[in-house]
Amino acid sequence: MIPKKIVIFISGRGSNMEKILQNSRDGILKGICEPVLVFSNKSTAPGLHIARRFHVPTAVIESKGKKREEFDRQVLELLKEYQPDYIVLAGFMRILSPVLIRAYKQRIINIHPADTDRFQGVGAYRWAFENHLKETKITVHFVDEGVDTGPVIAKRAVDLRGAGSLEEIEKRGLAVEHIFYSEALKKVFSENN
Ligand code: GAR
């Protein structure tokens, strides 16, 4: 199998990105995908430093103050240079417009820290906390033109029993995300040869 070329989009911390980079180098994604670029819409995203440590090229196009379509056209232009098979969103906190979504139809994947049937948008762990959920779910899905509405690839449960704070919920959720995202990506990349 030829490894799938992926570009990872981040906006901040980049802990999911880090796991994907690790797994592509010497874990379950080795030989399955090759991260060719880490892209951020924010130059201050701490995850960019992590990407550089992995010797993965990085690029930034600031999104602040730009119209969605204008920003997405610039991103599309940048991506021409890298020709990725897939775009992997990992904490990318900006809604994509049809400009990008149509150009990469069924080839943009996102991780959402809730069941997308129950909660869409930002603040998913806070929602789980405020609603005293005993369990939440993480969803990995293809991105369509809605917000967190695209075809589901897989969901995984997070046990929240006894989690008394938002911090604890985030900690448990992220621990699941870090394993689950790479597994879901492996499934997609292996099935689409
Ligand atoms: C993760 O919890 C991810 O699921 C979430 O942001 C966090 C990013 O953390 N994404 C969304 O909420 C997307 N709507 P990270 O930068 O450490 O991977």
Side-chain angles (χ1 to χ4, degrees), residues 12-17 90-93 110-113 121 125 174 177:
R13 184 176 50 195
S15 69
N16 276 291
M17 171 213 72
F92 187 69
M93 305 309 268
N110 182 44
I111 187 162
H112 178 67
Y125 287 133
L174 275 171
E177 289 189 47

Side-chain angles (χ1 to χ4, degrees), residues 30-190:
K30 189 173 178 188
I32 306 266
C33 67
E34 182 199 354
V36 293
L37 179 72
V38 168
F39 170 75
S40 178
N41 63 322
K42 286 187 177 170
S43 60
T44 52
L48 289 168
H49 299 290
I50 302 172
R52 289 184 197 118
R53 270 207 332 262
F54 278 81
H55 305 289
V56 174
T58 59
V60 175
I61 297 173
E62 290 288 349
S63 58
K64 202 161 183 223
K66 283 181 192 151
K67 289 224 167 67
R68 275 193 215 299
E69 287 75 14
E70 178 196 0
F71 172 74
D72 283 7
R73 260 185 226 106
Q74 292 176 356
V75 176
L76 211 49
E77 196 56 36
L78 170 77
L79 293 182
K80 276 189 190 157
E81 217 182 294
Y82 295 89
Q83 295 286 319
D85 296 304
Y86 287 91
I87 294 172
V88 174
L89 308 184
F92 187 69
M93 305 309 268
R94 189 170 163 99
I95 295 166
L96 298 174
S97 74
V99 169
L100 255 172
I101 292 166
R102 288 182 191 165
Y104 285 88
K105 199 168 169 9
Q106 281 303 85
R107 295 196 292 142
I108 307 178
I109 300 169
N110 182 44
I111 187 162
H112 178 67
D115 183 338
T116 48
D117 287 334
R118 296 192 60 195
F119 182 89
Q120 304 83 29
V122 293
Y125 287 133
R126 177 169 294 283
W127 164 78
F129 177 59
E130 286 172 356
N131 287 282
H132 311 286
L133 300 190
K134 296 271 169 291
E135 180 188 281
T136 193
K137 283 197 171 74
I138 310 292
T139 310
V140 174
H141 65 98
F142 289 108
V143 174
D144 68 4
E145 291 180 29
V147 176
D148 301 323
T149 52
V152 172
I153 295 162
K155 290 184 188 180
R156 188 158 298 174
V158 184
D159 184 355
L160 298 180
R161 284 173 301 177
S165 65
L166 177 56
E167 290 69 31
E168 177 62 20
I169 287 175
E170 273 176 355
K171 189 172 152 223
R172 290 192 197 181
L174 275 171
V176 172
E177 289 189 47
H178 290 162
I179 294 166
F180 174 48
Y181 205 3
S182 289
E183 289 179 357
L185 291 174
K186 183 176 179 181
K187 177 175 136 145
V188 174
F189 299 157
S190 313

